[in-house]
Amino acid sequence: MTVTEEHAPEIGKARARKEDARLITGRSRYTDNMVLPGMLHLAMVRSPLARARITSIDTSAARSAPGVVRVLTGKDLTGEQGSMPNAWPVTEDQKAPPHPAVAEETVNFAGEIVAVVIARSPAAARDAVELVDVDYEPLTPVVDLATAARDEELIYPELGTNHSATWVFDSAEAGTGGDIKEAISAAEIVVERTFRQQRLIPAFMEPRSTVVDPTGEQLTVWSATQIPHILRVMLALTLGIPESKLRVIAPDVGGGFGGKLQVTPEEVITVLAARHTGKPCKYTETRSETMVGAHHGRDQIQTLRISAKADGTVTGLDVHLVANMGAYLGLITSGIPILGAFMYNGIYKFPAYRFECTNVFTNQVWTDAYRGAGRPEATFAIERMMDELATELGMDPIEVREKNWIQHDEFPFATVSSLEYDSGNYEAATAKALELFGYDELRAEQTRRRESGDVVQLGIGVSTFTEMCGLAPSRVLGALSYAAGGWEHAQVRVLPTGKVEVVTGVSPHGQGHVTSWSQIVADRLGVAFEDVEVLHGDTQVSQRGLDTYGSRSLAVGGMAVVAAADKVIEKAKVVAAHLLEAATDDIEFSGGQFTVRGTDQGVGFGDVAFAVFAAHDLPDGFEPSLDSDATYDPENFSFPHGTHLAAMEVDTETGQVRVRKYVCVDDVGNVINPMIVDGQVHGGLAQGIAQALFEEAVYDDSGTLLTGSFTEYLVPSAPDLPSFTTDRTVTPSTTNALGVKGVGEAGTIASTPAIVNGVLDAIRQFGVSDVEMPCSPSRVWHAIQAARVGSGAGTGHTGTGGEEARR
Amino acid sequence: MIPSAFDYEAPATVAEALTLLADDSREVKVLAGGQSLLPVLKLRMADPELVVSLQQIDELRGVRMEDQTLVIGAMTRHADVAREPLIGAHAPLLARAAAEIADPQVRHRGTIGGAVVHADPASDMPATLCALEAQMQVVGPSGQRTVPAAEFFEDFFTTVVEEDELLTAIRVPSYDDWGIGYEKFTRVAQQWPIVSVAAMVRLEGGSIAEARVALGNMDTVPVRAAGVEAALSGAAPTQEAVAAACASAAEGTNPTEDLNGDATYRRHLATVLARRAVLAAVADAGA
Amino acid sequence: MASRTITLTVDGVSYTDDVEPRLLLVQYLREVLGKTGTLVGCDTTNCGACTVLVDGESIKSCTMLAVEADGHEVTTIEGLATDGQLHPLQKAFNECHALQCGFCTSGMIMQSVSLLAENSRPTDQEVREGLEGNLCRCTGYQNIVAAVQQAAGEGAAR
């Protein structure tokens, strides 16, 4: 037993992903790929009207159509289907209507399910949908958010208002800062702006799909979900099925971005269909159904007032939100804007802060998590405001930020919104970004283009952001009235041959956790990267977990893996000491070798694993297993940050906008796999840029979704995006032992304001002060025209924003 | 995603196809590549009882020259139109516009005849063929007729081709000495153009002898910018002269309003894109 | 409605089946042949997830009837590797981290095969334009472009 060579560290290596082997060869296991014996197929009858009373449903023709097994309406399921869950009552008096999976009395958005056809083939089910005859008594739809907020027409008269809840944070009351009224009255300058966060569609590439097999001892549910564990609990609570009789599996899942952080009517319906028929049932939505029926994101009106001194020092921030819930409260619909409440102060030292959000119902599909969930909205607003302040004061946008941001030597920093930022270095990230960007040269080019009156004008957009990741300390979630905790679970199982199975409670759907977790465990236990198998996404295998969202998987789930691996080592040390005839306290572990301190005597991890398996010669009282569980509850959030710079070209003749150059320097703490981190940033940037320039879910006045397919809802393809320059600074988180912070949402959160600030920087010279998102060519052109024609106070709002879109 | 059920025939000759189309007891749709028809069927915006595929009819495919005129079979795929040397040599504007249609997969399957008869005013082929003064060869129970592109398009998604007729070929005159320009304005690459402009010019003695300018998506049918063409005729091939001529590009148009822009914006775009397309054509012609 | 008999070759194997005329090629591949490597991401011919090769050229298999494939040769992602050797594009997608959730990947790789067959040494811009009919929501496309270029450099088009 002698020591072998050092194990080269896996953490930090750009390992190609283990997950890819099957995905690049077509051996994928998405839910819709599943076929079970005797499986039946579901198709949904959806309301074409945004608000109506269901007066009658005639299913007789559909029931007698070829291949049809059963047709279910809301009336058939009354008393059985319960109400779809909302896990985040943000206030004690939060109002919400009941939300049956299949509408019973009324429909409240176009696309809501009113009946379900169950048939022997997908085609038979689809054909019979045409034969279900639904009579509606139309009711006045309330589509516009501002109109709904005025309570003129009540969507749910029994609630007495369209307002679901109003949530307030006030730094004076919380004792975290001053009084906003005093700050504003004492200010040398006050800037007020209103921004519109347009409604977005998550647009994961895999349409949602659910398969339910009722034939076993447990009801088995396969679903395209981010949250198999939460889904299991919620299905049990909603349908009264004992949780122990439910097994939920998230197989390969084709993207989520928050869009699959939901317990859906379609999942509940597929469970009920399987229970009614006793047969395996499958429902796969079409993309057109995804667009109208899966939750949307964002959709807020944000009014901000910022008070400052004439030198640019901010003295206070007052935020008023009106947030569109849509027709119902989904799983965490109500909490999404509240997540933003803690982020409006961004990276800055604001002495006073007040936030008030009113959640309002409309006759549209409900909103819920979409990549960033509350934090992109907050970051957009404050980063736009910092530019507005700089403009009002004639300062450079970088300069005004520098004046207000937290210095690197001021961490840990207690923020005005009650968080404690553990670490960060905004100066370093910004300096690196400016250098990579060539800030001064681009400013010079901007001046040249202005002076020569070039058709194509250049703008430079700045966004310095932070976000709260690693959701979340359970006590914080409790204080916010969220129904669950924020811990994560992991198990490390040591196989007789020394290979390792890692069970994780997070549920990857593209993030590469299998690869990253293998790297972590390989280093921790000194085993080969290839010898680590990561298991997830099946409640029968991964018995505890809280799943994947909020950039939590590594900072929370990864830490649980570390904790479980460390327990394995502690157990193995006892065995190693026994095998080496040494005291446990004298055993050191490094690179997969247990050694006796001060000697060259050692034993390998694999030998210990086999010794435990054989159990022939173990210390007295030693339980013959190295397997270990850990549940990790973080003590704090983690706070990635970064500086993003966008050089935007605006064709002033057509309004066309192009990203000429995009540079970002993110600080996500320590990096497990730089290739995966870069990939997360790229994808995040694409989505954030798409919000700024391309995407918007638009309803007409009757509540019909006009952007109901990828023909109208403009998801960018490869030629629509630039090549990004990404780089990093590393300021490890001090909250967790890995020093990691989270990266899944950073690009999305940071990029939107960088792009819009860049567009405005190019055209402010004409008197334009705002362009609503998405900054489409027509909006940009109209804004320039209005500014040139008018008194120089042009904005992209009037006649070019939502009004135009709803004509 | 699942069309309504239909019967399917794939005749081998035009005559057989016409016999099938003559059956007025059933609603029939012609499948000519299907890149517009199949999405419509999948969304059940149409539910024909019979689909007649033209895929097996060899006589509808291919490109040949007949007396200085290109004859392009209706079932010639966009990808083939884009790369066919004869078209590149004699009607480069057509090749250029065909290369801009939708995406590579659609161009591998979609056909020029299918796109033309579908008659989406925003699609690339209708305006381009108007600029080229193409002749559409239509055959029906009463024989063959030839219709100028300018008269071929009647309305949104409507052409002169009757339900019992087929477009068999498109005849395009040679434009060997012309310069071309094509401007397609979209917000994302996948999108149908908000406005498109197809332009050609012929230079003679240092000035523009002839010009053709056609606009896509500025009305329910493609529009020839006759005023622009007239103003360009004899004009100097300069920025200023071209800009002046193109200022009237939107005259007489009636563009739609949608999420991508109102009529005012589209009219403005038409003038900018016309100028850019013509200037590109001038440069291409070697001015 | 009368079914039709079709005979076609998929991934090198000849199949004869009776199919409903309305059956889309992608549904035939997935539901009749069990070739679930080819995926459906939309119903409007936008996303490209279902891209396969017909007679060596890329098409969207959601926008072609199975009956139209009668007599033709179809290649899916499942037939791309030969003798257990990954195609250079498959290898490059893995090495360049050109996929995350993997749902667009089959179509993205098949379109890239077609792209390189038509242009063996494309510029980055030509790669981007060649992939305009394929949507990816995860990667921002940057690593996909890199993967296609890596494969092009290795002579993937040969």
Side-chain angles (χ1 to χ4, degrees):
Chain A
M1 293 188 194
T2 52
V3 178
T4 54
E5 63 188 280
E6 261 310 277
H7 188 85
E10 280 290 341
I11 290 181
K13 222 187 249 185
R15 275 280 189 187
R17 295 199 320 173
K18 291 180 168 183
E19 293 89 334
D20 295 354
R22 65 178 188 280
L23 299 173
I24 58 177
T25 52
R27 291 185 289 115
S28 56
R29 294 170 302 139
Y30 299 99
T31 302
D32 187 56
N33 294 358
M34 297 265 316
V35 177
L36 295 173
M39 190 166 79
L40 301 175
H41 300 265
L42 272 57
M44 304 298 174
V45 181
R46 291 176 185 271
S47 170
L49 302 178
R51 187 169 174 229
R53 183 166 288 110
I54 300 168
T55 50
S56 74
I57 303 182
D58 181 356
T59 61
S60 55
R63 273 186 283 124
S64 56
V68 172
V69 173
R70 198 156 305 191
V71 181
L72 298 171
T73 66
K75 287 266 190 287
D76 297 328
L77 299 172
T78 303
E80 180 184 3
Q81 64 176 339
S83 183
M84 299 303 302
N86 170 251
W88 201 336
V90 295
T91 61
E92 282 180 12
D93 60 352
Q94 170 178 291
K95 295 182 174 65
H99 182 192
V102 182
E104 295 177 8
E105 306 284 339
T106 61
V107 290
N108 291 293
F109 68 92
E112 188 165 0
I113 297 165
V114 295
V116 184
V117 177
I118 308 168
R120 287 174 53 207
S121 74
R126 177 66 188 84
D127 289 347
V129 164
E130 310 285 329
L131 303 174
V132 176
D133 189 10
V134 187
D135 278 337
Y136 299 97
E137 177 196 333
L139 301 171
T140 308
V142 185
V143 183
D144 178 66
L145 177 56
T147 307
R150 286 196 295 271
D151 267 350
E152 288 156 7
E153 170 78 21
L154 298 183
I155 297 171
Y156 304 106
E158 64 277 17
L159 299 183
T161 174
N162 293 328
H163 294 206
S164 174
T166 296
W167 191 94
V168 178
F169 176 86
D170 187 313
S171 64
E173 286 172 19
T176 56
D179 184 89
I180 188 63
K181 282 200 199 77
E182 286 171 17
I184 285 171
S185 62
E188 289 168 8
I189 180 172
V190 176
V191 179
E192 176 172 336
R193 296 285 185 272
T194 296
F195 304 120
R196 189 171 145 272
Q197 284 285 328
Q198 80 269 35
R199 184 174 265 256
L200 298 177
I201 299 180
F204 37 76
M205 289 316 299
E206 179 204 19
R208 299 171 308 164
S209 178
T210 301
V211 171
V212 178
D213 183 358
T215 61
E217 189 53 37
Q218 287 185 314
L219 197 74
T220 305
V221 179
W222 289 263
S223 198
T225 181
Q226 294 174 228
I227 52 163
H229 297 91
I230 293 173
L231 178 59
R232 183 192 192 198
V233 178
M234 289 298 170
L235 283 175
L237 294 174
T238 303
L239 296 174
I241 300 170
E243 195 182 348
S244 52
K245 290 294 180 189
L246 270 170
R247 174 186 182 189
V248 177
I249 301 171
D252 286 338
V253 175
F257 316 110
K260 290 172 182 167
L261 168 47
Q262 191 59 268
V263 176
T264 71
E266 291 86 350
E267 287 166 331
V268 166
I269 289 167
T270 311
V271 169
L272 293 173
R275 207 155 72 171
H276 273 252
T277 59
K279 291 284 193 185
C281 284
K282 180 198 276 188
Y283 173 69
T284 300
E285 69 189 354
T286 64
R287 176 61 59 179
S288 296
E289 289 180 291
T290 318
M291 303 302 270
V292 297
H295 75 244
H296 293 175
R298 315 276 195 263
D299 205 345
Q300 301 174 0
I301 298 168
Q302 312 170 291
T303 302
L304 283 79
R305 276 193 301 169
I306 199 165
S307 59
K309 296 181 192 165
D311 69 354
T313 306
V314 175
T315 58
L317 176 67
D318 189 18
V319 176
H320 280 258
L321 297 190
V322 181
N324 191 343
M325 302 289 97
Y328 299 107
L329 298 184
L331 189 64
I332 52 171
T333 301
S334 37
I336 299 299
I338 312 308
L339 272 175
F342 304 95
M343 288 281 102
Y344 276 87
N345 48 301
I347 64 170
Y348 308 111
K349 297 180 282 190
F350 294 164
Y353 173 53
R354 188 176 185 280
F355 170 95
E356 179 175 325
C357 176
T358 303
N359 289 347
V360 174
F361 292 112
T362 63
N363 289 117
Q364 302 174 22
V365 72
W366 69 94
T367 56
D368 209 310
Y370 172 53
R371 203 169 192 171
R375 293 157 292 165
E377 297 93 314
T379 302
F380 176 85
I382 192 57
E383 289 305 296
R384 282 282 295 103
M385 282 308 271
M386 294 309 274
D387 264 33
E388 292 297 314
L389 181 62
T391 303
E392 294 286 341
L393 295 172
M395 293 172 72
D396 183 273
I398 300 281
E399 187 191 353
V400 80
R401 286 169 170 82
E402 272 174 347
K403 199 165 240 345
N404 289 286
W405 72 35
I406 302 158
Q407 307 282 330
H408 72 275
D409 54 6
E410 294 177 294
F411 291 93
F413 185 88
T415 76
V416 74
S417 64
S418 81
L419 297 180
E420 185 177 287
Y421 291 178
D422 62 347
S423 72
N425 190 335
Y426 310 139
E427 303 98 305
T430 303
K432 195 167 190 177
L434 291 172
E435 189 191 332
L436 285 168
F437 191 64
Y439 189 79
D440 295 337
E441 298 89 85
L442 283 163
R443 282 282 181 218
E445 181 185 333
Q446 179 181 40
T447 305
R448 284 199 302 278
R449 283 179 186 261
R450 274 189 196 170
E451 284 168 355
S452 69
D454 201 309
V455 166
V456 177
Q457 287 294 312
L458 188 64
I460 294 171
V462 179
S463 167
T464 50
F465 83 104
T466 189
E467 53 162 333
M468 53 198 275
C469 286
L471 271 53
S474 297
R475 61 182 167 78
V476 175
L477 293 177
L480 290 173
S481 314
Y482 180 63
W487 48 263
E488 196 46 84
H489 170 261
Q491 183 181 50
V492 174
R493 307 201 294 226
V494 182
L495 303 178
T497 52
K499 299 195 190 309
V500 174
E501 286 176 342
V502 177
V503 176
T504 180
V506 300
S507 192
H509 39 283
Q511 294 89 343
H513 296 160
V514 169
T515 301
S516 299
W517 279 211
S518 295
Q519 291 179 266
I520 293 170
V521 172
D523 274 3
R524 214 75 189 175
L525 298 183
V527 297
F529 170 77
E530 295 77 12
D531 288 347
V532 183
E533 197 71 29
V534 178
L535 309 175
H536 60 81
D538 178 346
T539 60
Q540 210 170 65
V541 175
S542 163
Q543 68 273 39
R544 281 164 59 73
L546 285 168
D547 310 315
T548 287
Y549 43 84
S551 302
R552 70 186 301 273
S553 295
L554 180 57
V556 187
M559 277 306 299
V561 169
V562 167
D566 288 352
K567 287 186 184 176
V568 168
I569 294 165
E570 288 314 304
K571 288 185 191 174
K573 274 184 178 172
V574 175
V575 178
H578 179 75
L579 295 174
L580 294 166
E581 297 176 345
T584 305
D585 287 349
D586 288 337
I587 299 295
E588 291 176 332
F589 180 68
S590 171
Q593 290 289 320
F594 296 91
T595 50
V596 182
R597 184 175 297 118
T599 75
D600 63 353
Q601 291 297 296
V603 60
F605 182 81
D607 295 328
V608 174
F610 194 81
V612 171
F613 166 68
H616 296 162
D617 178 21
L618 295 176
D620 290 343
F622 186 88
E623 184 183 345
S625 169
L626 295 175
D627 297 357
S628 299
D629 279 85
T631 300
Y632 175 81
D633 198 342
E635 286 172 11
N636 191 3
F637 298 93
S638 55
F639 301 95
H641 68 82
T643 296
H644 289 223
L645 299 170
M648 303 300 299
E649 289 184 351
V650 178
D651 181 333
T652 56
E653 281 189 331
T654 63
Q656 187 72 283
V657 171
R658 191 175 83 88
V659 186
R660 151 95 167 271
K661 185 172 192 179
Y662 197 97
V663 168
C664 60
V665 174
D666 285 289
D667 194 323
V668 299
N670 289 334
V671 167
I672 306 300
N673 184 323
M675 192 157 70
I676 287 177
V677 164
D678 284 345
Q680 288 292 314
V681 172
H682 295 161
L685 293 176
Q687 285 180 27
I689 291 170
Q691 171 169 16
L693 298 182
F694 307 126
E695 297 180 18
E696 179 175 20
V698 182
Y699 286 87
D700 69 12
D701 292 340
S702 70
T704 299
L705 183 65
L706 297 177
T707 52
S709 80
F710 287 149
T711 307
E712 300 89 15
Y713 189 83
L714 305 180
V715 173
S717 71
D720 304 315
L721 292 169
S723 186
F724 311 111
T725 302
T726 59
D727 207 334
R728 278 187 290 279
T729 54
V730 178
T731 312
S733 165
T734 58
T735 300
N736 61 67
L738 286 168
V740 297
K741 301 181 184 173
V743 69
E745 294 156 306
T748 305
I749 291 171
S751 58
T752 312
I755 297 291
V756 177
N757 280 339
V759 170
L760 287 168
D761 188 51
I763 60 176
R764 265 188 212 279
Q765 56 179 313
F766 306 121
V768 177
S769 60
D770 195 17
V771 177
E772 269 188 8
M773 294 190 290
C775 299
S776 67
S778 95
R779 280 185 181 151
V780 170
W781 181 79
H782 273 296
I784 296 171
Q785 294 311 108
R788 279 174 167 165
V789 170
S791 56
T795 76
H797 291 288
T798 311
T800 62
E803 294 86 355
E804 175 213 4
R806 290 191 179 83
R807 264 183 211 157
Chain B
M1 187 63 191
I2 301 173
S4 297
F6 51 76
D7 280 324
Y8 175 84
E9 296 291 348
T13 66
V14 169
E16 285 171 41
L18 289 176
T19 307
L20 289 163
L21 295 184
D23 175 5
D24 56 10
S25 69
R26 294 193 283 184
E27 194 193 330
V28 184
K29 283 276 180 198
V30 174
L31 178 59
Q35 302 306 288
S36 296
L37 179 62
L38 286 191
V40 164
L41 297 184
K42 284 187 289 185
L43 298 174
R44 298 206 178 194
M45 291 156 69
D47 50 354
E49 292 161 286
L50 173 65
V51 168
V52 176
S53 166
L54 305 183
Q55 186 172 252
Q56 304 297 330
I57 307 179
D58 289 339
E59 61 194 286
L60 292 181
R61 259 195 298 273
V63 181
R64 62 181 194 278
M65 281 300 277
E66 257 177 31
D67 306 329
Q68 291 307 299
T69 298
L70 282 163
V71 182
I72 303 163
M75 285 296 287
T76 307
R77 302 177 311 157
H78 302 308
D80 295 324
V81 172
R83 64 194 166 202
E84 165 59 49
L86 279 176
I87 295 175
H90 302 294
L93 180 65
L94 182 60
R96 168 74 195 284
E100 299 261 344
I101 293 171
D103 56 53
Q105 294 99 313
V106 168
R107 294 196 292 272
H108 285 145
R109 190 84 201 130
T111 65
I112 186 168
V116 166
V117 178
H118 185 62
D120 185 333
S123 73
D124 298 276
M125 284 296 106
T128 303
L129 292 170
C130 284
L132 290 162
E133 295 191 343
Q135 301 278 329
M136 315 304 218
Q137 210 166 288
V138 179
V139 62
S142 49
Q144 183 167 306
R145 59 190 177 121
T146 301
V147 184
E151 296 163 23
F152 184 80
F153 301 99
E154 293 191 324
D155 203 345
F156 270 122
F157 304 107
T158 309
T159 71
V160 300
V161 179
E162 300 290 339
E163 287 186 352
D164 57 358
E165 290 185 314
L166 280 180
L167 173 72
T168 55
I170 295 159
R171 303 176 69 88
V172 180
S174 272
Y175 292 93
D176 294 5
D177 304 322
W178 294 59
I180 65 160
Y182 192 74
E183 290 285 332
K184 179 174 180 171
F185 193 85
T186 61
R187 290 175 57 196
V188 297
Q190 286 211 341
Q191 204 183 12
W192 297 91
I194 298 170
V195 175
S196 65
V197 177
M200 292 195 298
V201 299
R202 187 171 61 80
L203 302 179
E204 212 174 272
S207 59
I208 298 173
E210 280 184 276
R212 301 279 175 72
V213 179
L215 315 174
N217 210 24
M218 286 297 289
D219 213 321
T220 58
V221 293
V223 178
R224 273 285 282 279
V228 174
E229 293 178 357
L232 286 170
S233 176
T238 61
Q239 288 264 0
E240 297 71 29
V242 170
C246 291
S248 65
E251 254 174 36
T253 60
N254 181 28
T256 182
E257 309 215 340
D258 62 20
L259 299 176
N260 300 303
D262 58 16
T264 306
Y265 177 64
R266 281 192 158 87
R267 285 205 181 88
H268 166 75
L269 261 190
T271 64
V272 174
L273 299 178
R275 188 190 76 223
R276 291 180 182 182
V278 170
L279 284 172
V282 164
D284 185 50
Chain C
M1 303 282 165
S3 66
R4 313 266 305 189
T5 302
I6 59 171
T7 298
L8 69 168
T9 303
V10 181
D11 296 336
V13 178
S14 176
Y15 297 90
T16 298
D17 282 294
D18 290 337
V19 298
E20 266 196 290
R22 65 165 154 172
L23 191 74
L24 304 172
L25 178 58
V26 69
Q27 291 161 345
Y28 174 75
L29 294 171
R30 289 176 58 80
E31 294 164 21
V32 180
L33 301 187
K35 287 192 172 279
T36 51
T38 301
L39 298 156
V40 178
C42 77
D43 46 7
T44 48
T45 316
N46 287 96
C47 81
C50 64
T51 300
V52 301
L53 306 183
V54 173
D55 301 333
E57 290 181 320
S58 60
I59 60 104
K60 295 183 177 179
S61 62
C62 74
T63 312
M64 180 170 177
L65 300 173
V67 288
E68 291 183 283
D70 186 22
H72 293 275
E73 190 176 324
V74 178
T75 308
T76 79
I77 188 74
E78 296 175 52
L80 200 57
T82 47
D83 304 327
Q85 288 293 306
L86 291 180
H87 186 281
L89 274 161
Q90 289 172 313
K91 191 168 138 281
F93 267 60
N94 173 236
E95 289 171 356
C96 298
H97 188 35
L99 62 149
Q100 291 178 27
C101 83
F103 201 81
C104 77
T105 306
S106 302
M108 205 59 91
I109 289 177
M110 297 313 287
Q111 176 52 30
S112 300
V113 171
S114 192
L115 187 168
L116 291 182
E118 292 176 2
N119 181 358
S120 60
R121 293 309 301 264
T123 63
D124 282 0
Q125 188 56 30
E126 286 168 340
V127 172
R128 287 180 181 271
E129 285 168 8
L131 298 175
E132 71 181 313
N134 293 71
L135 296 177
C136 168
R137 193 62 158 169
C138 293
T139 65
Y141 303 102
Q142 187 149 331
N143 289 347
I144 292 176
V145 175
V148 175
Q149 292 293 25
Q150 177 178 315
E154 292 171 1
R158 281 194 302 251

